[in-house]
Amino acid sequence: MTSLAQPLEAGAIVAQDYRVERPLARGGMGTLYVVTQLSTGHERALKVMHARLLRDPRGRDRFLQEARASARIQSDHVVQVMAAGFDDGGIPWMVMELLRGEDLAAALERRGSFGPEEALVIFRQLGHALGAAHEAGLIHRDLKPENIFLADTRREGVPFTVKLLDF
């Protein structure tokens, strides 16, 4: 298995099924990559926990909790987790649906505001995600515009699909 302790290069294979295409983003807990799932040909997002966080057992637990929590929530408005695991060095990773679009913070910075109809779409879909999380016994403890993603949608008549991130 590819070591996840160092930044991943294009072409690296993770968990025997995910080929790294390129880096996507870097956050406080980990680095996000665009990967191709070899078994299906679909593009996915791979999140790898920063190796420096392994010294704190709580950080590793929080990363795994995010994978399990997101997978338990029954909502089209929570990012879907498809797989999770550890590399040989004990570094956790998770594979999620690859979202295209922008987070609410970036959208607000670019646009300034949303009209009433779009704001209503955001709040309805966000409410669905939070309601489903609460039904699963979970509370999102970091609700902020950066964790609300406005994903491109395939649904007619809807400007975007809200996806809640980072449980």
Side-chain angles (χ1 to χ4, degrees):
M1 175 170 209
T2 300
S3 171
L4 302 179
Q6 302 298 320
L8 297 173
E9 299 291 328
I13 305 297
V14 176
Q16 301 174 340
D17 196 27
Y18 305 99
R19 182 182 61 234
V20 175
E21 302 299 336
R22 65 185 180 282
L24 183 61
R26 186 174 171 89
M29 287 288 291
T31 301
L32 205 59
Y33 298 90
V34 175
V35 297
T36 298
Q37 186 174 5
L38 300 175
S39 60
T40 65
H42 281 84
E43 282 193 320
R44 307 281 187 213
L46 168 72
K47 186 174 185 179
V48 177
M49 186 174 138
H50 296 309
R52 63 180 164 71
L53 296 177
L54 285 177
R55 289 182 228 121
D56 178 8
R58 291 177 300 159
R60 181 177 160 155
D61 291 344
R62 278 186 34 218
F63 189 94
L64 292 175
Q65 179 181 355
E66 177 186 346
R68 289 185 186 115
S70 294
R72 286 183 21 213
I73 300 169
Q74 300 297 308
S75 174
D76 291 337
H77 303 292
V78 173
V79 67
Q80 184 182 11
V81 174
M82 279 99 167
F86 298 92
D87 78 347
D88 292 338
I91 297 175
W93 56 268
M94 72 176 92
V95 174
M96 301 168 285
E97 66 181 307
L98 178 62
L99 302 175
R100 300 188 192 286
E102 62 186 339
D103 66 39
L104 182 58
L108 287 169
E109 186 174 312
R110 180 177 54 79
R111 296 173 56 145
S113 65
F114 286 89
E117 297 83 17
E118 287 181 315
L120 186 57
V121 169
I122 292 169
F123 283 109
R124 277 188 176 149
Q125 293 183 23
L126 183 58
H128 185 274
L130 292 171
H134 292 182
E135 283 180 23
L138 300 167
I139 297 171
H140 197 295
R141 298 185 189 279
D142 195 21
L143 193 57
K144 59 186 178 183
E146 292 82 359
N147 288 338
I148 300 169
F149 199 87
L150 307 179
D152 296 346
T153 187
R154 292 177 277 190
R155 292 179 54 202
E156 187 175 330
V158 179
F160 41 73
T161 298
V162 171
K163 294 285 190 168
L164 191 52
L165 312 174
D166 291 344
F167 271 86

